[in-house]
Structure formats: C-alpha cells, structure tokens
Amino acid sequence: MLENWVVMPTCLPLVLRRCHVCASERFRTHGKFRVNANHKLIDVWLLALCATCGETTKLTVLERTNVRSVRPGTLDRMHDNDPALAAELLQEPAMLRRNRIALDWTGAWRLDTGGPVGTDREVIDVSVRFAARIPVRPVRLIAQGCGLARAEAERLVEAGKLVSAVRLTGKLSGDFTFTLKR
C-alpha cells in the first residue's frame, strides 16, 4: 500500500539579503506590493522588512513593463496585496536571480503524513509530494515522518533498507518516492 506525504509551506520564507542599515541578512515578507505606474509603463516591487531593524527593501517583480502586457487578474492581485501571489513569485528562479536573493525555509514548512505510519508492516512505500519548491533533505523528511532519529535513517540508507530512485543524502525540492524495508 502506497502512503502519500505532502511537504506544505506554513508561511512565507525569510529572504536572505544583506540589510544596508544594520548588516542583518534576513528579511520578512508579508505579501505587500508597491505598484507604480507612469503613463503606459508599470513597476512592481514586493516589499520585505529587515528582521532586525525593520528597514524596508523592495524586490523587483516588474520593471518598466507595458501595463497591457500584465494580465488584469494578476494586476488586481498585486493591488490587493495577495500573499499567495507573493508566495508564487518568491518561488520563481528568475525573480531570485534578478534580485540576487535566496530563501530560508527554516520553520516555514511542515510534513503532512496523513496519520501514523504503519510501522508494523515489513515494507513501507511512500510517495512524497512538495506543495512548493522547499529544499529539504529527504533523510530528514523520512526520519520525521517515520518517527526515527536522523542518524538511524542514514544508517538504513547505508544498509540498503531505505531505497529511492533519487539521492537521499542531498537536498531535494521535487517529488520522490522511497521504500523502507524493516
């Protein structure tokens, strides 16, 4: 029987960028946008506050873009400060590169296993799905979901009792499956 686990975000991640006021490296976003239109051109920024001093920084979403090229629904969501849109935009690799930022997902996600794992069975097959691109070590997820210590999960990988088509020792942000043999 295949079990389904989901890695879900619980809040927006911290933005890793150096503050020019206090030299902190963490900013909080709350889904607030700044929209500025100049005739037919529009600029849009996602606002982030320094976690230490509260200084505001602007993360560029759109720069000098023709207003007609922006979908009306998306523009309405920006005007309404939609946190779901902010979460979508923060996951776009192009936006991360453009603003030279990284995301810190520490404490911003949870693992939903759908109930207790059947530890009485000899073989457990699990499919892990990511609701957002959250980089997590698969061994950590497996240990948390199965109620094991991380070191014990690593020993199971080395012994060949915990197998998957993906490498379980690095970070991963995409869906995968694994089999645990007791």
Side-chain angles (χ1 to χ4, degrees), residues 43-58:
D43 294 315
V44 179
W45 300 278
L46 177 62
L47 301 178
L49 300 174
C50 176
T52 304
C53 70
E55 180 70 19
T56 302
T57 190
K58 298 187 292 188

Side-chain angles (χ1 to χ4, degrees), residues 105-123:
W105 283 96
T106 306
W109 61 273
R110 68 180 171 85
L111 177 63
D112 183 16
T113 59
V117 178
T119 55
D120 56 335
R121 298 191 313 242
E122 281 294 315
V123 177

Side-chain angles (χ1 to χ4, degrees), residues 4-8 109-115 127 129 141 144:
N4 294 307
W5 293 358
V6 180
V7 178
M8 304 199 48
W109 61 273
R110 68 180 171 85
L111 177 63
D112 183 16
T113 59
S127 171
R129 186 177 62 81
L141 285 177
Q144 182 179 343

Side-chain angles (χ1 to χ4, degrees), residues 6-124:
V6 180
V7 178
M8 304 199 48
T10 57
C11 60
L12 292 173
L14 291 175
V15 174
L16 299 177
R17 177 187 221 180
R18 190 166 202 86
C19 178
H20 69 279
V21 174
C22 70
S24 171
E25 294 186 358
R26 302 202 186 292
F27 284 83
R28 291 186 311 269
T29 58
H30 299 289
K32 303 280 188 209
F33 290 92
R34 167 88 164 87
V35 180
N36 184 24
N38 186 4
H39 299 287
K40 295 180 182 179
L41 300 177
I42 188 168
D43 294 315
V44 179
W45 300 278
L46 177 62
L47 301 178
L49 300 174
C50 176
T52 304
C53 70
E55 180 70 19
T56 302
T57 190
K58 298 187 292 188
L59 306 175
T60 303
V61 177
L62 298 174
E63 189 171 37
R64 301 314 237 170
T65 305
N66 192 318
V67 175
R68 291 180 185 252
S69 67
V70 181
R71 291 185 313 198
T74 303
L75 193 55
D76 289 342
R77 290 174 70 190
M78 289 176 185
H79 282 296
D80 294 339
N81 292 319
D82 185 5
L85 178 61
E88 291 172 25
L89 292 172
L90 279 174
Q91 299 206 16
E92 288 185 5
M95 183 169 163
L96 298 176
R97 279 191 307 273
R98 179 186 314 124
N99 291 288
R100 289 187 217 108
I101 59 173
L103 301 178
D104 180 10
W105 283 96
T106 306
W109 61 273
R110 68 180 171 85
L111 177 63
D112 183 16
T113 59
V117 178
T119 55
D120 56 335
R121 298 191 313 242
E122 281 294 315
V123 177
I124 302 170

Side-chain angles (χ1 to χ4, degrees), residues 162-177:
L162 181 56
V163 295
S164 177
V166 300
R167 196 180 83 193
L168 296 174
T169 55
K171 284 194 175 183
L172 189 66
S173 60
D175 300 351
F176 70 98
T177 59

